[in-house]
Amino acid sequence: MKKYFIFPVVIFILQSTASFASVDLSIGGTAWYAWWKPAWSDAKTTSFLFPGMPILFKENSRDFKMTSNAMAGPVVSIGFLDRWSVQSVFAIGRFKAYSRGMADSMMLTVLGGMTANLSYKKYSRDILKWDSDTSISCAVHRMVKVFAGFKAQGYRYDERLDDLNYNFSGNLSIIHRVLTDDVKAYGGGLGLGITIPLGAGFYLMTNVSGLALWSVEKINMNYRKSCVIFDTVELLPVWLRKGRYFSYGGSAALSFAYHIEKISTTISLGGRYQILFNRQRYNNVFYNDVAMNIIDGKYDHFFGITMSAMYTFHIGKSEG
């Protein structure tokens, strides 16, 4: 994951110091205390089982409850030719999600059979989430800049599910499932930033941007720790598929910054909000691009309080 942050900046710094008379290099860190409502927080899922005849489960469980937490990471920025700059930001953090209660469960077969089940599910998801932005910006006015860039984000969660399942044919089963879900998204965006001097070293900064991301999802089942219990304990015969979906939306940020001239350091405090709308091919329960979580037509919300500190120094020949 760090390569999405480190490689673009290192390459550019090496090239730029050789090409330009001087550059301003800023290094520092950022922290983001964030609240996340994933598109899958309504706990609607689908999965394939192969106990002889293929069976599809479509389930609607209790909504996930998410914990808030901090994300943090490095920031590197390089300014050149007075009004151009390249910046990379990387942040990573952990979140947890829980769901417990009765669920609506429907079992379908390829022959057209359909059975409604009663189900009590207990989910836990331990999530590692990361976010990387690399952008190039140009100041078109002393207070206004436009920027474009590459975005990579994703998450990986370890899931444990305990499921007590009863169908109206009189069959009772217990499913214990352990898996890892890995989602990676790549794309880009365009945006506008405004910096307003307030005097005495204080600034008000805001920016808005539009985003488009293409995501891939891969699930790995821990078959040694997963099982289904009928009269006997058996392996869980799950068929795993890769998922794909497209997301678009935007982000907005507002912060107050203070520049400490004596130590060439800028500190800032503010907030940021990102919203993404997801499109996932879901023509029917058997023909789709769903790995497990059904998120077509749903929103992903991510927002929180941000803070950063940046130290700036000059490289190369000074003007004059």
Side-chain angles (χ1 to χ4, degrees):
M1 292 180 289
K2 292 181 180 178
K3 64 185 178 182
Y4 302 119
F5 167 77
I6 297 173
F7 287 173
V9 179
V10 171
I11 293 172
F12 188 84
I13 290 174
L14 294 175
Q15 292 179 339
S16 61
T17 52
S19 303
F20 307 126
S22 63
V23 297
D24 291 318
L25 179 63
S26 299
I27 57 174
T30 184
W32 187 0
Y33 193 85
W35 289 262
W36 182 25
K37 184 180 180 182
W40 46 258
S41 61
D42 61 358
K44 292 183 178 179
T45 64
T46 182
S47 57
F48 264 113
L49 271 68
F50 277 84
M53 178 184 295
I55 297 174
L56 182 137
F57 282 91
K58 184 178 180 182
E59 299 169 309
N60 183 8
S61 304
R62 292 285 182 91
D63 289 1
F64 278 98
K65 294 181 179 180
M66 299 289 299
T67 61
S68 56
N69 205 359
M71 298 180 68
V75 183
V76 176
S77 177
I78 183 168
F80 57 99
L81 298 179
D82 294 329
R83 62 193 187 118
W84 290 89
S85 67
V86 173
Q87 178 175 273
S88 269
V89 184
F90 180 83
I92 191 168
R94 287 193 174 276
F95 297 84
K96 292 183 181 295
Y98 304 93
S99 173
R100 179 183 296 183
M102 299 301 297
D104 298 327
S105 180
M106 187 69 67
M107 186 174 70
L108 307 172
T109 69
V110 293
L111 299 179
M114 180 182 300
T115 304
N117 296 343
L118 291 177
S119 178
Y120 181 88
K121 298 182 184 295
K122 179 183 176 183
Y123 278 102
S124 68
R125 291 177 176 178
D126 187 1
I127 310 159
L128 181 68
K129 181 173 174 60
W130 57 276
D131 188 281
S132 174
D133 293 281
T134 299
S135 63
I136 182 167
S137 65
C138 177
V140 296
H141 183 269
R142 67 184 184 90
M143 293 191 297
V144 181
K145 67 177 181 180
V146 293
F147 59 88
F150 169 76
K151 184 176 184 66
Q153 68 173 32
Y155 58 85
R156 176 188 176 95
Y157 66 68
D158 296 318
E159 177 189 281
R160 294 178 64 90
L161 168 66
D162 293 304
D163 182 6
L164 180 62
N165 200 293
Y166 176 80
N167 64 39
F168 293 103
S169 299
N171 298 319
L172 178 67
S173 64
I174 299 173
I175 293 176
H176 179 68
R177 189 179 73 196
V178 179
L179 59 80
T180 299
D181 193 349
D182 195 2
V183 176
K184 295 182 176 69
Y186 307 94
L190 299 170
L192 176 73
I194 299 174
T195 300
I196 302 174
L198 302 177
F202 288 92
Y203 297 86
L204 176 66
M205 301 187 299
T206 183
N207 66 71
V208 293
S209 62
L211 300 169
L213 296 168
W214 288 261
S215 300
V216 292
E217 181 177 11
K218 183 179 180 180
I219 295 175
N220 290 306
M221 180 76 67
N222 188 331
Y223 289 100
R224 294 180 62 185
K225 295 183 179 181
S226 301
C227 65
V228 57
I229 303 173
F230 295 106
D231 298 327
T232 59
V233 179
E234 302 176 12
L235 293 176
L236 189 61
V238 177
W239 177 46
L240 301 175
R241 297 179 293 176
K242 282 190 176 181
R244 296 178 178 82
Y245 56 92
F246 172 69
S247 307
Y248 60 90
S251 69
L254 178 68
S255 63
F256 288 95
Y258 177 60
H259 180 66
I260 308 171
E261 188 171 357
K262 288 184 178 180
I263 57 174
S264 301
T265 299
T266 301
I267 57 176
S268 66
L269 177 67
R272 181 183 171 189
Y273 175 61
Q274 176 179 286
I275 182 171
L276 294 171
F277 182 73
N278 298 287
R279 301 303 305 182
Q280 183 184 51
R281 186 169 63 92
Y282 192 68
N283 299 337
N284 58 63
V285 293
F286 291 105
Y287 184 67
N288 55 66
D289 281 334
V290 181
M292 186 166 289
N293 298 305
I294 303 172
I295 62 170
D296 183 49
K298 299 173 186 175
Y299 290 92
D300 186 288
H301 301 268
F302 199 69
F303 55 94
I305 301 168
T306 60
M307 60 188 73
S308 67
M310 298 288 292
Y311 173 72
T312 302
F313 57 95
H314 192 76
I315 299 176
K317 298 179 182 179
S318 299
E319 295 183 358

